[in-house]
Structures are given as C-alpha cells and as structure tokens.
Amino acid sequence: MQTAARGPLRFQRRLTMARSMTRLKDFLSKHEELFRRSFLLAVLLALPAIVVLRWKVGLEDADIWWHLRTGEWILNHHMVPPTDPFSLHGAGKEWVAYSWLFEVLVFRFHQWFGLSGILYYNVILSIAITAAVFTLIKRFEPAFISAVGLAAISIVSMLPVLLVPRPWLFTVLFFTIELKLLLSARATGNIRALWYLPFLFALWANLHIQFVYGLLLLGLATSEFLVTKILRRFTDQVEESALNPARMALVTVACIAATLANPYHYKIYLPVLDYMVQLGFYDLVSELQAPQFRTLCEWLVLGIAVGTSFILGRRQRINAFFVLLLLMALTISFRSKRDMWLVAVASAGIVVASSSNFSVVSQYVLSRARLLSLSVAILVVIAFTMRITDLSEDTLRRKVSEKLPAEAAAVVEERGYAGPLYNHFNWGGYLIWRLPGLPVAMDGRTNLYGVEKASHSLEVWAGGSSWSSDPELDAAGLVVAQIDQPLTSLLKRDPRFDLVYEDKIAAVFVARNRENARSTGGRTPNS
C-alpha cells in the first residue's frame, strides 16, 4: 500500500514543480526588460568599485597616509591639531586640518579592516558618486539607455579621480547633489529643496576644502538674474531665470554661514587664501598641473567639453546659468587635472537640462523594490569581485611596497636610526604614517611649506648646483631616498653619509660621525 501511494505523491510533486517553473518563466518573460535594465544599471554603478578592488588601486597614493596619521592624532587627542605635529618645518606653526572628519573616518576604516579599509572607503564613495551622476541625468533624461550611456561616459572620464582614496571624493558627490537640486529648482521655480543645502555645506566644510566649489556654484545661480539683465541690453534671445534672486541670495548666505560650523570656524578659509596666493604649486605638483592629454580619459573630457559647447551654441536662446557653469568648469578643470571631474559633472547636467522636456516621465522609476534589487545586485557583483581577488593584508602590504618605501622604513625602525630626517616631497605623506617618531622634511601638504621651499627641495633632489650646500641636507642624520633620484646617486659618493640599505625602491643613508646616527660597519648596502 505504501509503495502504491508513492506514485501519485511523486506525480503531484512533479506537477507542482512544473507549475512553479511555468510561473517563474512567465514572470521572467514579463519582466525581462526590467531585469535587463536593472542588471545594466548595477554594472554601471559597480564599475569603479570593481576597478578599485580588482587592481587594488589607491594604496600607492602617498597622501592617504598622512590623512590616516592625522585621523589617529585627532582621536588620540580628542581635538583637531592647532599646529603641525608631523614635520620639521611646520613644528609650532599654525595648521588647519581642513579634512579632519574624512581623516577620522578613513582611519576608523583602517582600524576595522586594515589596508582593505582604504579600498572599502573608495568603493563606497565611487558607488555613491556614480549613483548621484546617474540620478542627476535621469532627472531630466527619460530614455533609460540614453541616461545610462551619458552616465557611463561621465564616470569613465572621471576614473583617474574616482580611483584615488582622497577627501575630494566627497566634493564630487556633494557637488553633483547640489547641481541636481539647483537644476530641478530652475526647472520648476520651487526652491524649497534648496534649503537642504545649508546642512550639506555644514558637513562638506568638515570633509574637504573644495566646498568652495559648491559656494561658487551657488554664486553663479544667484548672479544669473544680474547677468541676464546685462545680456538683454545686447539681445532679446536670453532666457529668463526661474529662480527668485532674493531667495537665492538668502540660501547662499545660509550656506556660507553653515560652513563656519567646523572646529576652525572662519579659519577654514585660510587654506583657500594660501592656495590662491601660492599659484606656483600648480607647476610643481603633478596632480595640480594642467592635463597633458596623454590618456584616454583626458581626451574624453575634452570631447565632453567640446560637445557641451556645441550644444549650447546651437540653442536659440542664451541661458546665462548654463554658460556661466560651463565657463567655471572649463576654467577649473583645464587648470588642474585632479579637477577634471568638474567638466564631466557640469556638462552632464547642462546637456540633459538644456535639451529635455522636464514634464516627460522617466522610463525607469527607482521604486523601493528596484532600489532593493539594485542594492542586492551590486553587493553580489562586489562580493564576486572580492571572491576572485586576493585582499589579504599580506598581499596589500606587498602592493604598497611596490611603490612606497615600506621595506626601507622597516629597516629604519628596526635599527633605530634617528633624525633629523630628509626625504622627498613624494614620500613625505607615507613616512608620516610609517615613521611617526621622525618628523618629515617635506610632504604633500603644499600650503604648509610654501612654493619657494618646495621648489628648492625639488631642485636639491634633482642634483642642482646647490645640493651639496643645502643646510637641511647637511643637518640630516637620516635620508630616505628614492632610488631613481639624481641626489641618491650623489649621496652614494658623499663622504658625509653612509649607504646602509638599498632595494629596488629606496636607499637609506645615515650621517657619519653623528651621535644620533648608528654605524653599520661600512658602506656596503644591506638589501
């Protein structure tokens, strides 16, 4: 009897399974387009994060390390540093740690996850930026494929900026959010949402000094009414602003006041003045130099700028805000390649807002269910990338040692060599982190040192005529040198120093006949 009953039971199970599979096929067939779009969007959002994790990009950046040390200092002392605690030159001098909140955040990530924490910070911010850019475009572009395509072009052009774990990622994110709010307000004439901006700026001013770009954007929107009146003296083909200038002025004043909600208050603007006065750094620091158009991303940014200019030029009526925004983006981006993201974001907003019908409903509405499915898809993609990538601490340390003097610093630490330390600008940030007991001679905090000192230091490292008489080098008890610098070769023949360590990345020299330098018994390198 039991054997006879199994037949109908199995048949019933198979029938139930067949019905379930049929329903699943019908559901997938009915929502095939939705799943295809969600998958495409998930890939776009995860693209920068995949690059960061797969190739462990950003760990070789020297400046992230002094940010880590600053975050540790703040947490240990329960205050922001009033003076510079990390360099010989800055000892006792006033210093504004204008990215203090970012530094605390990234140090916590490092505390919790080790070197992977730096990558996780980059992953989170790059996904947020990509989502913000897509949301900005989707607000005005109803066609899903067009919105994804424009967002992809913008994100790919910004990759050199998105792949570096710096506080400027918050600036890219917040500027994009601010631009979306402004363009929406201009399209509807309703500025109610702009009153969120003071809260945004209060956070922004504690994360990165480039909140001033956001204030500049507000200034353009506020001055649009005046510029429009001036243009009307020459032509009638000028669009009227939908924003009330008096209300925009109130929003701008509120945002400026909100930036003072930081530990340094009005002094947060002092580094801005330093960078405005010390223009020579734009020639000395590679990331501050103008783009040289040697990479695909730089050419893509140029193409975006030309295309946006062409679109604005074909409009029958002049939009003062769009013209001012593009001029601002071109001026800043083509002056410094680390700000090239500004052209990409501004152009994306200009293109979609100037050519779209704002009343048309988007083809892809981000409902809660779709947001949840997108989040799950992104997590799956990230998890798969992490699964096939070795993110162990040892692997990440080896990645760091490929570009930075990790082994040389370990030798200095183990043998107890003392300073004063002399180092190149490029490695100062890392040595602040790796050798906390030795104040550095120079690091990436350019406004702290001044153009003249930075230029002289680079000249010494290049083996200029004054290298042998440089007082800072002469007073050094320890030199951690890049192996490919001309000064390194000169120091090997300098009777004032002994070469005590050398590898493919760095060389370590200690001063002879100096009480604070330990002898290693000769000039033979210990590799």
Side-chain angles (χ1 to χ4, degrees):
M1 294 293 294
Q2 293 178 354
T3 304
R6 289 179 182 175
L9 183 60
R10 289 176 180 174
F11 175 78
Q12 186 65 31
R13 289 177 178 174
R14 290 175 181 175
L15 182 61
T16 302
M17 184 177 297
R19 288 174 178 172
S20 300
M21 292 299 296
T22 301
R23 292 194 190 107
L24 179 60
K25 289 180 180 179
D26 291 341
F27 178 80
L28 293 176
S29 177
K30 183 179 179 180
H31 297 87
E32 180 181 0
E33 186 66 23
L34 173 62
F35 287 126
R36 187 181 298 131
R37 290 178 177 180
S38 297
F39 175 76
L40 183 61
L41 183 55
V43 171
L44 170 67
L45 294 176
L47 176 62
I50 292 172
V51 176
V52 168
L53 292 173
R54 192 72 183 92
W55 285 275
K56 309 172 188 67
V57 181
L59 293 177
E60 69 276 7
D61 177 57
D63 278 1
I64 185 60
W65 304 98
W66 71 256
H67 285 297
L68 284 173
R69 182 61 69 197
T70 304
E72 182 187 42
W73 193 98
I74 292 170
L75 290 173
N76 287 340
H77 294 80
H78 305 289
M79 59 181 291
V80 293
T83 57
D84 173 36
F86 305 129
S87 73
L88 293 168
H89 175 78
K93 292 185 178 180
E94 187 175 30
W95 176 54
V96 176
Y98 50 74
S99 298
W100 74 271
L101 188 56
F102 156 78
E103 287 148 1
V104 169
L105 175 67
V106 77
F107 178 73
R108 285 299 193 194
F109 269 68
H110 184 270
Q111 261 191 333
W112 297 331
F113 306 108
L115 292 176
S116 298
I118 299 175
L119 301 182
Y120 296 159
Y121 160 78
N122 215 344
V123 165
I124 294 171
L125 265 294
S126 63
I127 291 175
I129 291 169
T130 308
V133 171
F134 175 75
T135 304
L136 165 66
I137 295 172
K138 187 184 75 69
R139 186 72 172 91
F140 300 93
E141 175 53 62
F144 175 78
I145 297 300
S146 297
V148 170
L150 287 172
I153 292 172
S154 300
I155 293 303
V156 171
S157 70
M158 292 191 291
L159 276 180
V161 175
L162 298 184
L163 301 181
V164 183
R166 297 280 193 89
W168 65 45
L169 295 181
F170 281 106
T171 287
V172 180
L173 175 62
F174 291 163
F175 187 92
T176 306
I177 294 172
E178 179 190 5
L179 181 59
K180 176 181 177 292
L181 293 176
L182 275 173
L183 292 177
S184 298
R186 292 186 77 263
T188 62
N190 184 357
I191 71 165
R192 185 178 301 174
L194 296 184
W195 287 107
Y196 290 110
L197 290 179
F199 300 98
L200 182 74
F201 274 94
L203 180 61
W204 196 348
N206 289 279
L207 287 165
H208 194 219
I209 194 64
Q210 285 181 335
F211 70 85
V212 294
Y213 289 176
L215 293 180
L216 183 56
L217 178 60
L218 276 178
L220 297 184
T222 304
S223 63
E224 179 187 4
F225 176 77
L226 177 61
V227 175
T228 300
K229 288 187 65 176
I230 295 174
L231 290 175
R232 280 196 172 277
R233 296 179 181 179
F234 304 96
T235 177
D236 293 333
Q237 301 300 315
V238 182
E239 292 184 8
E240 290 287 349
S241 173
L243 300 178
N244 183 293
R247 293 181 179 179
M248 281 303 305
L250 285 176
V251 172
T252 302
V253 170
C255 290
I256 294 173
T259 63
L260 302 179
N262 69 85
Y264 295 101
H265 308 303
Y266 74 91
K267 290 184 178 180
I268 196 69
Y269 287 92
L270 295 181
V272 179
L273 297 177
D274 286 341
Y275 284 116
M276 291 176 63
V277 172
Q278 302 180 40
L279 300 179
F281 279 120
Y282 286 85
D283 298 321
L284 297 177
V285 183
S286 59
E287 69 184 31
L288 295 179
Q289 293 173 356
Q292 298 177 338
F293 300 104
R294 296 291 186 270
T295 66
L296 174 63
C297 293
E298 291 176 346
W299 282 106
L300 188 56
V301 168
L302 180 60
I304 290 172
V306 172
T308 306
S309 302
F310 179 76
I311 290 173
L312 284 184
R314 290 196 62 183
R315 289 173 56 88
Q316 294 181 351
R317 297 171 67 84
I318 300 173
N319 185 301
F321 177 71
F322 291 156
V323 173
L324 291 172
L325 176 57
L326 182 59
L327 289 175
M328 165 193 162
L330 292 175
T331 302
I332 295 176
S333 295
F334 289 141
R335 181 178 184 176
S336 173
K337 58 187 176 184
R338 79 173 185 182
D339 291 327
M340 290 178 64
W341 62 268
L342 194 53
V343 161
V345 173
S347 295
I350 291 170
V351 169
V352 295
S354 64
S355 59
S356 68
N357 184 354
F358 190 72
S359 62
V360 177
V361 179
S362 174
Q363 296 177 0
Y364 188 82
V365 179
L366 286 171
S367 62
R368 290 184 179 179
R370 288 178 179 175
L371 284 173
L372 179 61
S373 63
L374 269 177
S375 301
V376 172
I378 292 171
L379 288 175
V380 169
V381 172
I382 297 298
F384 176 75
T385 305
M386 295 176 64
R387 182 80 176 97
I388 64 174
T389 304
D390 184 3
L391 295 177
S392 65
E393 194 74 2
D394 288 341
T395 299
L396 297 181
R397 284 176 182 169
R398 286 196 296 271
K399 178 70 175 179
V400 172
S401 64
E402 291 176 2
K403 298 292 184 180
L404 296 172
E407 300 300 328
V411 168
V412 172
E413 189 175 49
E414 291 169 5
R415 299 180 186 177
Y417 294 131
L421 170 64
Y422 192 77
N423 63 275
H424 192 279
F425 166 90
N426 289 342
W427 281 355
Y430 178 75
L431 294 175
I432 286 175
W433 170 256
R434 192 61 186 81
L435 299 173
L438 293 172
V440 298
M442 179 77 65
D443 64 89
R445 298 169 297 160
T446 49
N447 64 307
L448 180 66
Y449 298 96
V451 176
E452 184 178 350
K453 178 174 175 55
S455 299
H456 178 72
S457 176
L458 292 175
E459 181 183 353
V460 171
W461 279 101
S465 58
S466 63
W467 77 269
S468 60
S469 59
D470 179 67
E472 197 168 4
L473 176 61
D474 186 62
L478 171 70
V479 180
V480 178
Q482 293 175 255
I483 202 67
D484 58 353
Q485 288 292 324
L487 180 63
T488 307
S489 299
L490 294 172
L491 289 179
K492 290 179 179 180
R493 299 189 298 270
D494 192 325
R496 294 175 296 176
F497 295 95
D498 280 325
L499 175 64
V500 296
Y501 176 83
E502 183 177 7
D503 58 26
K504 295 180 180 180
I505 303 295
V508 177
F509 299 88
V510 295
R512 284 184 176 180
N513 303 321
R514 192 74 57 85
E515 290 183 0
N516 60 348
R518 293 175 54 184
S519 173
T520 59
R523 298 171 59 83
T524 303
N526 183 9
S527 57

